[in-house]
Amino acid sequence: SKRKLVMKLGIIGGSGLDDPSLLKNAEEHSLDTPYGPTSSPLLCGTLDGVDVVFLSRHGREHTIPPCSINSRANIWALKEAGCDSILATAACGSLREEMDRGHLVLPDQFIDFTRHRQVTFHESFKPGIMNAVHVPMAEPFDERLRCVVNKAAKHLKIPVHPKGTILTIEGNRFSTRAESNMFRMWGADLVNMTVAPEVILANELQLPYAAVAVVTDYDCWKTDEPPLKVEDLVQVFMANVEKLNQVLLQAIRELRDTPA
């Protein structure tokens, strides 16, 4: 007999993936968290027979800047809502030549590159001092969920890189090629500003976590193309919303029909 791999799936990211029209019997719920309010209300419903909770990281209108996102509150709320696993979506800059705009990446680790964080599981962390540490995407990592998303993307003939390392930074998005080269030397494949706090709390809460990133920019390492402005990044990501929705729908079907 077949049963669901995921009883309730939390999807965080937004940018079209929190489209209420995807869900049946969708209801909004607000939760108070120990870390303050979430970026947006939880949108709970079903998608092809699987219970799903959407949480838009940047707000429904994509108006919340990275520096204002309460990622810890978001993940805590998904745990409180009864999610068994989280699939995070993100728009990332690529540091690898073979990754073109519109490609998907399924990262398995990130480089913790932050200067200020109130809570961290790195005992060696010193506020105000740059730290660069390779960290698993989450413990326990949801390998099955990542495999399902990978299979869905390939079924839809979307180029996908099954593994990658996301570099997370806080503050303004970097804009120098020298920084890009340094990040590549550290082993980074992608650059994103919102993943690290989510993964850290997923570790602390023992909430299985996987991520899918869409490449939106080259982040200055390509000499023949200038970096995109933030507003252009949003437009590039929105242009891929339908593609990501199709990946999500196909992955949900796999989760529903694949035996554990």
Side-chain angles (χ1 to χ4, degrees):
S1 62
K2 294 183 179 181
R3 61 187 178 90
K4 301 173 187 174
L5 288 176
V6 179
M7 299 302 294
K8 182 180 284 189
L9 177 64
I11 299 175
I12 185 168
S15 300
L17 287 176
D18 58 345
D19 182 357
S21 67
L22 291 176
L23 296 179
K24 292 184 178 179
N25 305 316
E27 296 181 352
E28 280 195 353
H29 297 278
S30 296
L31 290 175
D32 294 326
T33 84
Y35 311 105
T38 57
S39 297
S40 63
L42 303 181
L43 189 66
C44 307
T46 60
L47 189 58
D48 272 10
V50 175
D51 291 329
V52 173
V53 179
F54 280 123
L55 197 157
S56 182
R57 184 190 287 124
H58 293 280
R60 295 286 151 77
E61 303 300 325
H62 208 104
T63 56
I64 301 176
C67 59
S68 299
I69 295 170
N70 194 342
S71 297
R72 296 182 65 84
N74 291 346
I75 298 300
W76 190 94
L78 290 177
K79 175 76 170 182
E80 189 71 9
C83 295
D84 300 287
S85 293
I86 290 178
L87 176 64
T89 67
C92 292
S94 172
L95 296 173
R96 290 170 54 181
E97 184 174 4
E98 69 271 22
M99 292 181 182
D100 290 327
R101 291 187 182 122
H103 285 193
L104 300 184
V105 185
L106 301 174
D108 58 349
Q109 68 174 344
F110 70 87
I111 300 175
D112 183 9
F113 175 73
T114 54
R115 295 176 183 273
H116 303 284
R117 182 177 295 128
Q118 292 181 346
V119 181
T120 177
F121 60 75
H122 298 310
E123 294 180 357
S124 62
F125 181 82
K126 302 292 184 182
I129 299 176
M130 184 179 69
N131 232 13
V133 182
H134 287 256
V135 181
M137 185 54 63
E139 294 293 345
F141 182 75
D142 200 329
E143 181 67 35
R144 294 179 302 175
L145 180 56
R146 187 175 68 161
C147 288
V148 165
V149 176
N150 185 31
K151 183 177 179 181
K154 289 185 175 180
H155 175 80
L156 295 168
K157 300 186 183 336
I158 298 173
V160 59
H161 299 264
K163 290 188 177 183
T165 299
I166 286 185
L167 174 78
T168 62
I169 59 176
E170 291 179 353
N172 294 331
R173 182 170 170 270
F174 73 90
S175 59
T176 69
R177 187 163 292 109
E179 287 177 312
S180 299
N181 291 333
M182 177 179 67
F183 297 153
R184 291 169 66 194
M185 288 177 60
W186 286 351
D189 302 308
L190 303 158
V191 178
N192 172 255
M193 292 192 293
T194 54
V195 174
E198 295 174 1
V199 175
I200 287 173
L201 193 58
N203 273 275
E204 294 172 357
L205 296 178
Q206 289 293 285
L207 186 58
Y209 184 105
V212 54
V214 59
V215 177
T216 55
D217 196 8
Y218 299 113
D219 285 298
C220 302
W221 77 265
K222 282 198 171 183
T223 58
D224 57 343
E225 293 195 30
L228 294 181
K229 298 179 181 178
V230 173
E231 55 268 25
D232 295 328
L233 286 175
V234 175
Q235 290 184 5
V236 171
F237 189 69
M238 293 302 290
N240 288 282
V241 162
E242 181 59 31
K243 172 172 35 180
L244 289 172
N245 282 343
Q246 292 302 313
V247 171
L248 173 60
L249 289 168
Q250 183 65 27
I252 289 291
R253 296 185 187 106
E254 292 287 341
L255 288 173
R256 181 194 61 196
D257 297 335
T258 303

